[in-house]
Amino acid sequence: GENVEQHPSTLSVQEGDSAVIKCTYSDSASNYFPWYKQELGKGPQLIIDIRSNVGEKKDQRIAVTLNKTAKHFSLHITETQPEDSAVYFCAASPLSGYSTLTFGKGTMLLVSP
Amino acid sequence: GAVVSQHPSRVICKSGTSVKIECRSLDFQATTMFWYRQFPKKSLMLMATSNEGSKATYEQGVEKDKFLINHASLTLSTLTVTSAHPEDSSFYICSARMAGGTFNEKLFFGSGTQLSVL
């Protein structure tokens, strides 16, 4: 089955800095890679996702890059703000079929004012 | 955007009692719903997949008689923790897949239920 590794487990940055979270996956059949943000006591919220037919996707301050050959994908947050502080999870799965999402272990991002 | 409502958000119960958690898709139909368990500072652990009108599929190691799942309609799935014990204390999260979407896109999460068993 799929195995998703996520690093770092914690990340502290100053407001305005950039933050990068990296994930690797093992199953070459995976072609859908979402990122979720989870605030304390709440469920995960999808913030951005990417399919394997593109290498990069941007949405304002958030971007995701994918390297299919190396089987890794990254989340980039620019101009970080204190409200970006949360736990971020990457996930991987085939886009179709009966496989479920496999989540990474999460990264706690702390943005200090 | 699509909303998944999960209730209750927090429940405290005595050991031996049963607790029901509801997961509703408010503005879309969900053919499939998922139930996860999350321990503090840990990732989401899939417990079971429920398809409307059929029996849930449980992940290895999850007791189906302990965690009863019912998905009676396209907008509602329930998880009942039967005869709860302190080791069942955890954060439970549901997610719903919008009908018609490709498989793992259109997946929306509820806000979670913190269960504490005394």
Side-chain angles (χ1 to χ4, degrees), chain B:
Chain B
V3 177
V4 174
S5 174
Q6 186 174 340
H7 290 284
S9 58
R10 180 178 292 273
V11 58
I12 301 171
C13 69
K14 291 183 178 179
S15 187
T17 59
S18 293
V19 174
K20 181 184 281 190
I21 303 169
E22 288 191 350
C23 181
R24 291 180 186 273
S25 55
L26 295 187
D27 49 3
F28 66 97
Q29 292 187 328
T31 48
T32 305
M33 290 188 176
F34 302 90
W35 287 96
Y36 299 84
R37 185 172 181 177
Q38 186 177 34
F39 292 102
K41 298 184 180 180
K42 298 292 184 183
S43 190
L44 288 79
M45 192 175 69
L46 181 65
M47 297 174 66
T49 302
S50 88
N51 293 296
E52 185 263 338
S54 62
K55 289 185 178 180
T57 303
Y58 289 81
E59 295 299 303
Q60 192 172 8
V62 178
E63 299 175 60
K64 59 179 71 174
D65 295 332
K66 174 80 170 168
F67 299 99
L68 300 179
I69 291 172
N70 183 281
H71 191 162
S73 77
L74 283 173
T75 59
L76 174 64
S77 177
T78 60
L79 168 68
T80 301
V81 183
T82 61
S83 186
H85 287 95
E87 57 266 29
D88 299 324
S89 299
S90 190
F91 193 58
Y92 292 88
I93 308 172
C94 70
S95 67
R97 179 182 295 120
M98 185 181 289
T102 48
F103 203 72
N104 276 321
E105 289 180 329
K106 310 294 185 188
L107 188 68
F108 302 95
F109 284 82
S111 54
T113 297
Q114 182 64 52
L115 171 63
S116 299
V117 184
L118 304 179

Side-chain angles (χ1 to χ4, degrees), chain A residues 37-104:
Chain A
K37 176 183 180 181
Q38 186 179 27
E39 297 177 342
L40 191 62
K42 297 185 179 180
Q45 297 297 311
L46 179 69
I47 55 172
I48 196 167
D49 57 8
I50 191 169
R51 296 194 192 190
S52 61
N53 58 349
V54 299
E56 183 174 0
K57 185 176 178 181
K58 265 186 161 180
D59 183 4
Q60 299 182 357
R61 295 187 297 108
I62 294 173
V64 57
T65 58
L66 171 66
N67 183 326
K68 274 186 63 179
T69 304
K71 294 198 184 71
H72 65 70
F73 56 112
S74 301
L75 177 70
H76 304 253
I77 306 174
T78 58
E79 299 172 33
T80 54
Q81 301 165 5
E83 49 266 37
D84 294 329
S85 297
V87 178
Y88 292 80
F89 290 97
C90 63
S93 84
L95 193 59
S96 60
Y98 295 97
S99 294
T100 57
L101 285 173
T102 301
F103 288 89

